[in-house]
Amino acid sequence: MSSTDTHHDLVDEHIVEEARRIYPKKVDGHFRHIKWGIQFATLAIYYFLPFVRWHRGPDAPSQAVLVDFPHRRFYFFFIEIWPQEVYYLTGLLIIAALTLFLMNAVAGRIWCGYMCPQTVWTDFYMTTERWIEGDARDRIKLDNGPWTLEKIRKKIAKHFVWILIAWWTGGVWVLYFADAPTLVYKLATLQPGVGEAYLWIGILTFTTYVFAGWMREKVCLHACPWPRIQAALTDEYALNVTYRYDRGEPRMSAKAATAARAHGAAAGDCVDCGQCVAVCPTGVDIRKGAQLGCIQCGLCIDACDSVMEKLHRPTRLIGYDTEMNLKRRECGEAPIYKPLRVRTVFYAVLILAIGGFMLVTLATRDDMHVNVLHDRNPLAVRLKDGGVRNGYTLRFSNKKPDVRRFTLSVAGVPGAQTEVVGVPPDAKGQVTIEVGADQTREARVLLSTHGAPAAKGQTPIVFTVTDAETGVATEVKDVFITP
Ligand code: SF4
Ligand code: SF4
């Protein structure tokens, strides 16, 4: 094929945007393969993770990832987060934000282009659309054509598949909040008590269908704040999908470029075929420079590379490059790459430090916990014998998958008597509180001085809770109030 033929052939296929609707053309290549891989992996994780089992003992759920609202727990494989440890989730959110910043500092919006759920599902929907209605040219023809039986059949098939995917996506979402096999059985057999799950499936089905099927790039362009945030965070050393003006311009047809070169005149490599725009899922012409609409998916690189290969010109006329290199090339200087910069090192160190701290504290955290709440009203009660009584509510947490027995002692007020309401002391006067596996238990504790007047005001006291089997103890402080 001659260069001229190639150019005309490609210009004929210049399919960009029609009636404000984008019809991205199919493309193959290096970055498309990476996108396939990431899409497959992320969808597989999302759809199958609720069915992965993780044994935690007879009385604990065996689902690897579970948000257990009724029992106020979050399970993630070997990690179990209790409500009072919600700071771990805060830490995870901070790590996620820093990872986004790091990705942005290294390679722009690669999150948007490859990993964002909006991108992944939109790409999934576009693939099914292409499978049913054909590539861009066929879809434009179909949409602009009359309502024939063929068109009705294809439209019904497409929306049926889209709703099916949306329904399955919403269905899987609720499985993260209950035992997946049990909930699937209950939903499938229309058992009572799962109305809330049906509601969430309905909401997620609707949002997936609308966002991935109808709104697509409009979510990235108009609804998502990340493009604006990342535009403020980026610098001239971050890799971004970039058109190399120094190589591409002056653009002209392949035939004109060959003639110009034969006469020693300047001719760019861009043949203005529009393939980079035709494959773009957001309808961006990257040759106009960096734009908010570009999600950095790299598909225009694949499109242009295949054009360059056909024209026997070097590839990567469009490629991941930095703003700094654009300027350097204009001045005839060699490109430089600086992935290690103050900001990238700073983000990486912060991620490692926070992640490492969380791992160490998770690995060494107590498997028992106690907190105390002093009675508010009344703060103290004067007894008939002249003594004083204070009341407390103690909450014991047993984070082990076995039943445990805890003994309780109180220090700080000499001669004071401890009574746990509803738990009689043994022959030695020792109170033992039993707490079920992976559970909490509340106990009312009364601390009384009899006869002898206690010092007025607040006296610091310490509750010591000891595991009766292992002897491991934990303490919690409060005060004894004498009016
Ligand atoms: S940059 Fe590449 S794909 Fe885009 S118009 Fe020029 S030659 Fe064609
Ligand atoms: S311009 Fe290129 S990298 Fe940017 S969104 Fe379009 S195809 Fe993807």
Side-chain angles (χ1 to χ4, degrees), residues 235-238 242-246 321-336:
D235 68 3
E236 55 192 1
Y237 290 104
T242 311
Y243 169 68
R244 280 189 54 184
Y245 304 93
D246 61 310
D321 209 347
T322 66
E323 212 182 299
M324 169 59 73
N325 284 340
L326 276 183
K327 291 179 196 156
R328 290 180 67 88
R329 284 194 177 101
E330 268 174 24
C331 306
E333 294 170 20
I336 51 167

Side-chain angles (χ1 to χ4, degrees), residues 204-219:
L204 266 292
T205 303
F206 177 76
T207 49
T208 307
Y209 174 67
V210 171
F211 281 13
W214 292 93
M215 291 183 68
R216 299 185 172 188
E217 77 289 344
K218 289 176 187 66
V219 175

Side-chain angles (χ1 to χ4, degrees), residues 241 276-277 279-286 293-301 318 320:
V241 174
C276 47
V277 193
V279 301
C280 178
T282 58
V284 162
D285 184 348
I286 197 64
C294 173
I295 58 168
Q296 307 276 324
C297 65
L299 296 183
C300 53
I301 304 178
I318 301 174
Y320 280 95

Side-chain angles (χ1 to χ4, degrees), residues 414-437:
Q417 285 182 354
T418 309
E419 179 193 346
V420 180
V421 177
V423 184
D426 61 15
K428 294 181 195 160
Q430 181 66 64
V431 176
T432 305
I433 298 140
E434 198 172 274
V435 185

